[in-house]
Amino acid sequence: MNAATAGYNFAYLDERTKRMIRRALLKAVAVPGCQVPFGSREMPLAYGWGTGGIQVTAAVIGAGDVLKVIDQGSDDTTNAVNIRRFFARVTGVRTTERTREATLIQTRHRIPEVPLTEQQVIVYQVPQPEPLYKLEPRRSAATRLHAWREYGVMNVKLYEDIARWGRIDSAYDHPVLVNGRYVMAPSPIPSFDNPKMHRMPALQLFGAGREKRLYAVPPYTDVKSLDFEDHPFKVEPQGHACALCGSTDTWLDEVLQDGGARMWTCSDTDFCRERREEKQP
Amino acid sequence: MYVAVKGGEAAIAASLHLLDEVRRGDPAVRELAVAQIREQLALAVDRVMAEGSLYDPELAALALKQARGDAIEATFLLRAYRTTLPRFGYSEPVDTERMQVGRRISAIFKDLPGGQVLGATFDYTQRLLDFGLLADEREPAPQPVAAVAGEKAETGVAPALQQLVAEGLVEPAVPSAGDPEPEDITRTPPAYPMNRATRLQMLARADEGWVLGLAYSTQRGYANTHPFAGEIRAGRVPLELVPDELGFAVEIGEIELTECQMVNQFVGSAVAPPQFTRGYGLVFGEGERKAMAMSLADRVLRADEFGEEVTSPAQLQEFALSHGDNVEASGFVQHLKLPHYVDFEAEMQTVRALRQRHREAEE
């Protein structure tokens, strides 16, 4: 650590705060998908920019961890760079852009394309942990609905989507049922990523700093995207191939080019790099 | 051919450098000292302390300097520092009766027991720009009035409402019935419904503009409180702490506070005779506007206690309180600047599919 961070504890937060967060995380792991209130601290990062994610990362990171931070699937978006720099500065741990090398991955809006393993933990930044908030803005009332497992409002919403649009209109942050019990917000990942959460070998932790809530999905837990028997949840292909690696089974960013042309490239930049390297002898 | 944009790191470094430059402004103009901000922009400092919920004029002034005068950014800086401080303990409740009042006014007494003290106020200025202040240096400040008259700030001024409370006309200033020991909102996440002590904490560090707007709405018919400014006082109060190893209170310093006791709408029932109720406001430093607004907001939020019908946004606890924190609000509103292109792409896919369907239906 350098002089500027000399006055700070390892990973910025003091040990008592980390313990408080870990206790909340243990509860979250014990009750998969249930939102656990925690004493969210004010972080040197703006609310809405990953304060929940960095508190969870700070609470679980150890000196031996290798950290990867992505935003929109990319390691090089400014906020990902900033969070990675922050942890490099306050922990001195090794950072990486390679998904396979990382032991701890903090993400915003994507799940890496490479299947994660039991040796890895993924931390999601969550802007709005309450999946029912558009239907019931009062958190006191929404908490009761979760307790009673009363998800009728959500089913009606999904039904109305189908009646109106012929499909469910949540292209991202599509709600999931965790372990057959709690309806949970997967954070604003594209629905394309939802199936990756199901029985994932890695521990999935979710942090919402501004809303002061944590939740978790333990390894190998059932995560089912909400749907109906006659309108099953399905991932629709984008119908394009990555211009860099040729991939057709990954989430693609649409890039507008000068002259109005469009190209599609992998949103997961590390995965794209890996595929290209495989192809080259 | 497009290659994934690299260089976020270099761009951030360049931006930080530029920020340093614009903060300094024209180097031909003398640099602003933190002490100047603390002394001469004291109300900005007070606001940052109140909303940053940290009483430290020096650091609040530093935050303002670093934030280029942006009050909310300065508040954020102070909060991010505050969060790293160890918690020694909790002070004893401050006793505003022991305040050295620099200002004390009441709107409900023609002849206020203990006397009105105007102190330094903008209230009776005529809001004409003083072009004399354009000059960099002026003659030395005039002799303080109090010193001229040989007076000192008064301490131990009894609350203006004391007599009316003794007669039972105004409710006493005690915690609301059933309220537990207050929780620390920076340690325990807020849960609704919220007791009054916790609500007051939320309001004390809420954004002044937000609280002012809430209060104003209650005066324009969105809820109603029939307010009268019972007493507003500002000045220094001693702060006491009981160290574990001593077991008795030790004075650890003084802080400046502004307190507002608003006298409101009377209530009564079959069992209790009618009496005026109160709204309460208390903020760090000189923050009269905020303290008054807070007292109005506090009173309407007591709707449950008095069985009043909840009809307006200012009365809704979750609405009024959870959106008043400007550090939270500013962060979340501005997070929309972060890339959202993955979600947007997902949404485009949906809209394209829907448009396709629409076209097919038309054909």
Side-chain angles (χ1 to χ4, degrees):
Chain A
M1 271 196 250
N2 59 28
T5 53
Y8 289 105
N9 191 31
F10 177 81
Y12 181 80
L13 294 174
D14 61 280
E15 292 302 318
R16 290 169 73 174
T17 298
K18 288 187 198 172
R19 189 163 58 194
M20 174 275 293
I21 296 172
R22 287 188 205 125
R23 280 180 176 157
L25 286 173
L26 285 175
K27 184 171 176 186
V29 168
V31 193
C34 177
Q35 300 168 57
V36 180
F38 79 112
S40 178
R41 296 297 191 258
E42 295 183 84
M43 300 299 284
L45 184 80
Y47 282 115
W49 296 56
T51 53
I54 65 174
Q55 287 184 74
V56 171
T57 298
V60 301
I61 198 168
D65 270 312
V66 180
L67 179 71
K68 172 181 165 82
V69 183
I70 50 172
D71 183 351
Q72 316 292 301
S74 163
D75 300 89
D76 208 46
T77 37
T78 44
N79 202 44
V81 170
N82 204 26
I83 292 171
R84 189 168 59 242
R85 276 192 328 149
F86 174 75
F87 279 112
R89 195 168 163 189
V90 296
T91 66
V93 304
R94 192 155 78 79
T95 61
T96 182
E97 296 193 358
R98 294 174 185 241
T99 305
R100 294 182 203 275
E101 282 180 7
T103 57
L104 189 57
I105 300 169
Q106 179 169 330
T107 182
R108 175 168 175 267
H109 294 193
R110 277 307 315 270
I111 298 175
E113 306 288 0
V114 173
L116 302 181
T117 68
E118 286 177 9
Q119 272 64 49
Q120 295 176 307
V121 175
I122 181 166
V123 177
Y124 297 76
Q125 299 173 202
V126 181
Q128 185 44 262
E130 179 48 71
L132 306 173
Y133 84 102
K134 286 180 186 162
L135 310 166
E136 175 48 80
R138 293 168 300 169
R139 300 305 189 272
S140 43
T143 305
R144 277 197 291 276
L145 294 179
H146 283 292
W148 294 330
R149 205 171 163 181
E150 178 50 69
Y151 294 126
V153 283
M154 180 60 88
N155 286 325
V156 170
K157 189 259 172 201
L158 298 178
Y159 169 77
E160 284 177 351
D161 277 355
I162 290 168
R164 186 166 175 210
W165 303 111
R167 58 189 280 155
I168 290 167
D169 99 343
S170 43
Y172 60 91
D173 212 352
H174 182 104
V176 293
L177 183 69
V178 179
N179 201 29
R181 173 59 181 84
Y182 281 96
V183 166
M184 182 187 95
S187 87
I189 54 173
S191 312
F192 175 89
D193 281 342
N194 274 23
K196 295 176 184 162
M197 305 181 90
H198 181 59
R199 303 194 67 79
M200 184 192 278
L203 171 63
Q204 305 178 68
L205 302 175
F206 300 78
R210 189 179 41 78
E211 297 283 342
K212 302 165 183 65
R213 295 287 185 279
L214 299 172
Y215 49 103
V217 177
Y220 302 109
T221 303
D222 285 346
V223 177
K224 188 180 178 308
S225 299
L226 294 187
D227 63 358
F228 296 106
E229 275 173 24
D230 52 344
H231 277 269
F233 174 86
K234 59 175 186 285
V235 170
E236 289 175 28
Q238 288 166 285
H240 300 275
C242 173
L244 302 176
C245 74
S247 167
T248 53
D249 57 358
T250 52
W251 182 259
L252 303 175
D253 294 336
E254 181 174 351
V255 184
L256 287 175
Q257 294 183 297
D258 293 342
R262 272 160 223 277
M263 66 183 291
W264 274 262
T265 61
C266 288
S267 129
D268 183 339
T269 47
D270 178 62
F271 183 81
C272 192
R273 173 198 58 79
E274 208 172 80
R275 279 238 171 133
R276 274 173 297 164
E277 284 174 4
E278 274 170 13
K279 282 183 182 171
Q280 281 162 9
Chain B
M1 187 182 185
Y2 171 87
V3 187
V5 185
K6 282 271 167 193
E9 199 133 3
I12 290 176
S15 164
L16 293 178
H17 181 76
L18 202 56
L19 181 61
D20 256 354
E21 251 178 54
V22 295
R23 183 189 56 71
R24 178 60 183 86
D26 182 353
V29 177
R30 215 168 353 140
E31 180 163 356
L32 193 54
V34 168
Q36 287 176 305
I37 298 172
R38 192 191 61 219
E39 295 302 315
Q40 298 174 36
L41 299 178
L43 297 184
V45 169
D46 285 352
R47 180 167 176 187
V48 169
M49 291 198 301
E51 292 168 23
S53 50
L54 181 71
Y55 194 91
D56 192 323
E58 178 86 21
L59 293 183
L62 167 64
L64 274 165
K65 177 174 174 173
Q66 191 178 330
R68 306 177 63 203
D70 182 337
I72 295 181
E73 181 65 22
T75 299
F76 182 14
L77 287 170
L78 209 57
R79 291 251 193 112
Y81 171 73
R82 175 192 195 277
T83 189
T84 66
L85 299 175
R87 203 56 66 100
F88 293 122
Y90 292 86
S91 77
E92 293 296 291
V94 292
D95 180 1
T96 51
E97 251 187 76
R98 292 171 64 193
M99 181 183 280
Q100 293 178 27
V101 289
R103 174 164 167 79
R104 174 182 188 248
I105 54 167
S106 171
I108 58 171
F109 295 97
K110 182 171 184 194
D111 192 7
L112 175 64
Q116 308 250 14
V117 181
L118 278 190
T121 174
F122 292 124
D123 290 351
Y124 308 103
T125 61
Q126 290 171 342
R127 268 79 181 206
L128 301 174
L129 278 176
D130 177 359
F131 296 108
L133 290 173
L134 278 173
D136 239 1
E137 299 288 338
R138 291 224 301 181
E139 53 202 78
Q143 281 265 307
V145 184
V148 172
E151 285 172 17
K152 284 183 72 178
E154 279 189 86
T155 55
V157 183
L161 303 179
Q162 189 171 269
Q163 185 57 37
L164 300 179
V165 173
E167 289 171 38
L169 287 168
V170 172
E171 67 163 334
V174 292
S176 295
D179 269 7
E181 196 58 14
E183 298 254 32
D184 180 342
I185 57 164
T186 67
R187 289 294 186 264
T188 311
Y192 297 92
M194 187 179 274
N195 63 59
R196 188 176 174 211
T198 313
R199 296 199 302 258
L200 287 168
Q201 279 183 65
M202 299 281 280
L203 287 171
R205 69 178 205 161
D207 181 78
E208 181 171 319
W210 170 266
V211 179
L212 183 65
L214 280 181
Y216 182 44
S217 75
T218 70
Q219 293 180 290
R220 293 190 64 261
Y222 290 88
N224 210 335
T225 71
H226 294 283
F228 297 95
E231 180 175 4
I232 297 161
R233 52 167 69 194
R236 309 191 74 83
V237 290
L239 199 64
E240 292 179 338
L241 186 83
V242 180
D244 286 341
E245 56 272 45
L246 291 184
F248 55 84
V250 177
E251 191 175 317
I252 54 170
E254 285 183 335
I255 57 172
E256 197 174 15
L257 292 173
T258 304
E259 181 189 53
C260 175
Q261 294 275 4
M262 198 65 83
V263 174
N264 298 85
Q265 175 75 43
F266 58 85
V267 293
S269 65
V271 283
Q275 95 181 149
F276 289 105
T277 56
R278 297 194 198 217
Y280 186 70
L282 185 74
V283 290
F284 279 158
E286 284 180 67
E288 195 162 284
R289 184 192 302 122
K290 168 78 179 280
M292 293 182 74
M294 177 174 166
S295 68
L296 293 179
D298 170 47
R299 178 58 186 81
V300 288
L301 285 166
R302 296 177 71 192
D304 285 4
E305 213 179 310
F306 300 122
E308 291 161 346
E309 200 186 346
V310 174
T311 53
S312 302
Q315 296 170 296
L316 296 169
Q317 292 192 9
E318 281 204 50
F319 181 82
L321 299 171
S322 55
H323 303 116
D325 190 302
N326 56 20
V327 178
E328 289 178 5
S330 157
F332 198 53
V333 166
Q334 294 197 70
H335 103 284
L336 296 173
K337 289 184 281 195
L338 289 177
H340 283 81
Y341 56 77
V342 163
D343 296 347
F344 189 67
E345 181 63 35
E347 201 95 303
M348 284 228 280
Q349 204 179 332
T350 303
V351 174
R352 279 185 179 133
L354 292 175
R355 288 172 65 87
Q356 177 70 24
R357 241 171 64 114
H358 185 77
R359 254 195 312 275
E360 284 163 11
E362 278 192 340
E363 278 163 14

